[in-house]
Amino acid sequence: MGRSGWGPRVTAPGTFNAFIAYGSHDHRHSGIGWHTPVSVRFGTGEAVRGQRAVPLAEASARRPRPPESRTAWVDDLAGRREPASAPGAKDGPWHGD
């Protein structure tokens, strides 16, 4: 191993090429719909999306959904009262009031 800890220079091209091949052919990227760059470049992304649709629909159908509410809960700040003072506490939120 060289002084830099990366190994000899002769292995650099192979390591770099392996990294690029993985990133282009195997790794699915979130920014392009979980496809590989090669799939998008050569137009096979639509076919892959079609193959994914059936298992995704089946999984979605099995997943329980929470009941939908037609009303939203909002904290009623106007109707809220201040808590009662603790025994021995002075009046007001600060002791000087």
Side-chain angles (χ1 to χ4, degrees), residues 20-47:
I20 294 301
Y22 168 75
S24 298
H25 296 276
D26 298 324
H27 183 69
R28 291 170 177 82
H29 298 266
S30 63
I32 53 176
W34 299 108
H35 293 281
T36 64
V38 171
S39 174
V40 172
R41 169 67 177 94
F42 292 109
T44 59
E46 291 298 322

Side-chain angles (χ1 to χ4, degrees), residues 73-82:
W73 180 82
V74 178
D75 190 10
D76 183 13
L77 297 177
R80 191 167 71 178
R81 291 190 240 157
E82 292 296 321

